[in-house]
Amino acid sequence: MNEASLNPPRYLWAVGDLAAQIPVGERVADRYEVVAPRLWQDTQPESLPEIPRDLPDRVRPYLYLYPLRLHLPVAYGFCHWELAADPQASILLLDHVPVKANGQLYPTVTESWPYATALRQVYWFWQILELWTPLSEQGVVSSLLHPDNVRVEGWCIRLLELYPDNPHDPYPPSLATLMDNWAPWLPLAQPAIVPKLQLLAEELRSQTVSLGAVLARLNQLLLQQSAEVPLRLRVAGGTDPGPNQTHNEDSCYPTERELQQKDLPPHNRLIPALSLVCDGIGGHEGGEVASQLAVQTLKLQIQALLTEVASQEQPLAPEVVSEQIVEAIRVVNNVIAAQNDQQQRSSRQRMGTTLVMALQLPQRVNATQTAHELYLAWVGDSRAYWITEDYCQPLTLDDDVATREVRLGRALYQEVLRQPDAGALTQAIGTREASLLYPTVQRLIIDEDGLLLLCSDGLSDHGLVEQCWQTHLLPVLRGEQSVSGAVPALIAWANQHNGHDNTSVVLTYCRVSPEYPVLIHPLTVASDLQPSPAPISTADLTLPTEELTAASKALLYETEPATDPGSPSAQPTPKQRRSPFRAVLSIGGLLVLVLLGGSVGLLAWSQLYPESFQELRLNLPSSVGNGEREGN
């Protein structure tokens, strides 16, 4: 889970005027090579950088905004330049900056804007406006007003550093200022979108509408443009116990067996729109049950969501879809938690699972066109990556102690990695009350050819993905390797270098290039997504018992605990949670709710009529216990 030193060089961005004075070629602190103005290479990345005991205020925004790591740099450490006039002056160094493997910075928006597609231009504009509020809250929104600071790595807006706002400025940063900066760019947009972008910019400049209203209309334009770019998918998945394990606690969807089925059952019609990877927690007497319960239950929930989306006349807003996905994951949580309660499993014996899921969501924008959006959701440390010919982007952020300590402003990431419990999970599905579960959901738009990789930490540990993407995945993009052939190759790589764990991989080839042959139907509101899913019953939640160990089969059907709490198998694993919890809903109560109208209808009811929903919930035969929330 924790990243070790990787083969590519580690480039850092040096902040401030003092760093700008240091000439190229200089070696600073007998460690850092200045390869370009303010761009340094760390020649000793395995060593901890200089970190003061009391972190200065200027580093705080980097810590509090750590969840936005996809777009923002990360505070790495400090150093002193021995030739500085003030020997006490320190230079802040930033990691995860927009720099290529060859040491060249990625281009600015200004440089790239005229050559981008209409979809990408709208997407960049949307991302910048999305960043406005969180950066404003931390007093660093000026970062968006420096054109050289706003860079692009393909589809993704990335900032070189964070500029603090001046509290004494008589003209503080505003959306009007931002739109003034964008004024020269907008006429250079693709002709079809110039009038629409200029209108939105003028409304923000004049403050006649709110930022939220502009974002809603900009999202409609974004979906319309995505509908102009047909998306085709090919998916493959696989899981393996590894050379040093006797059982497999991982589960994934789709598997090779499901992909080979000619007559797909209703809930396998999600292929290729849905992909899932779950890594079970609690040992072979629980972890594999939890991960398979998660996969089977979530498939039912997503089928209901897709059916609901297909019935809508207008696209659902991203925040609405995100809320529905969160509620679906909480339903999964209650299924596993209820199984724990039924088996009287407590504390370290409670089973749970991580989850990373990707859903390619089709939404109708007019009578003939369907937009495509990618929704990622995760709990735990299973990961997602986006890989193109030019880069490998980690899309998820682990729910572990290291992440928690950084985003709470307690330590720098490189520092907390040295702690023995840095990789311990701060949340997992099924181990505690659903109200204490906080899944992360992120919406992306696919506007280029690439590979979406989901994997458990059997592959992601020790930076293996970053080390192997060029050798194992670029051949797929170049047509030299099939998607189905790349999956076992990745698993074999993981077994060779991370053989201590199970490994699951789901790989989706996303293609928007028009010359791509039609291998599968485009992701549209197809007929197999329109009918309502089959009624949910206990049979739908029956796991494929031939894939379970004898102890795990017993766990599903026995009422007594499957293990003696004092037995070796009941001792905590590195990922196990340690807080006792009683489930919010029993299995019977959960099925009553689902049968009343499906997960999506239940969610809509809870949002539109919270009082009546709460009344029903309180009347259900559920027991609520106390839980302890970590990481927030």
Side-chain angles (χ1 to χ4, degrees), residues 125 179 182-183 185-189 193-205:
F125 196 25
M179 292 303 98
W182 275 74
W185 307 351
L186 296 183
L188 301 177
I193 62 172
V194 168
K196 298 176 181 179
L197 290 184
Q198 288 181 325
L199 176 60
L200 293 174
E202 182 56 37
E203 290 175 338
L204 286 175
R205 184 183 294 110

Side-chain angles (χ1 to χ4, degrees), residues 404-440:
R404 182 191 66 189
E405 295 300 289
V406 173
R407 67 183 180 84
L408 292 179
R410 295 172 178 167
L412 302 191
Y413 188 72
Q414 293 300 316
E415 179 182 19
V416 75
L417 279 182
R418 268 63 179 183
Q419 296 181 10
D421 63 343
L425 295 184
T426 53
Q427 62 173 351
I429 296 175
T431 57
R432 50 174 35 184
E433 185 178 339
S435 63
L436 300 177
L437 185 70
Y438 295 88
T440 304

Side-chain angles (χ1 to χ4, degrees), residues 448-498:
E448 61 186 345
D449 296 348
L451 293 168
L452 178 65
L453 170 66
L454 307 187
C455 64
S456 61
D457 60 354
L459 176 61
S460 63
D461 266 359
H462 306 119
L464 287 195
V465 174
E466 290 86 347
Q467 293 180 41
C468 77
W469 69 274
Q470 292 176 308
T471 55
H472 287 66
L473 293 175
L474 287 189
V476 178
L477 293 171
R478 295 168 181 168
E480 301 165 0
Q481 169 73 288
S482 66
V483 180
S484 58
V487 168
L490 287 170
I491 291 176
W493 172 266
N495 286 341
Q496 179 181 356
H497 298 279
N498 275 347

Side-chain angles (χ1 to χ4, degrees), residues 210-261:
S210 67
L211 175 59
V214 170
L215 279 170
R217 289 167 54 191
L218 189 60
N219 182 63
Q220 292 178 349
L221 180 59
L222 183 59
L223 293 181
Q224 291 168 3
Q225 291 301 313
S226 75
E228 300 286 342
V229 183
L231 174 66
R232 289 174 171 81
L233 309 171
R234 171 166 280 188
V235 63
T239 183
D240 188 81
N244 300 323
Q245 301 293 329
T246 58
H247 61 279
N248 192 354
E249 296 180 67
D250 284 6
S251 297
C252 69
Y253 175 84
T255 62
E256 181 179 1
R257 182 180 63 180
E258 289 163 327
L259 288 166
Q260 291 176 349
Q261 288 179 300

Side-chain angles (χ1 to χ4, degrees), residues 77-97:
F78 295 81
C79 81
H80 291 80
W81 185 34
E82 55 272 18
L83 300 181
D86 181 3
Q88 301 301 318
S90 62
I91 298 172
L92 172 61
L93 301 177
L94 304 178
D95 194 13
H96 193 64
V97 293

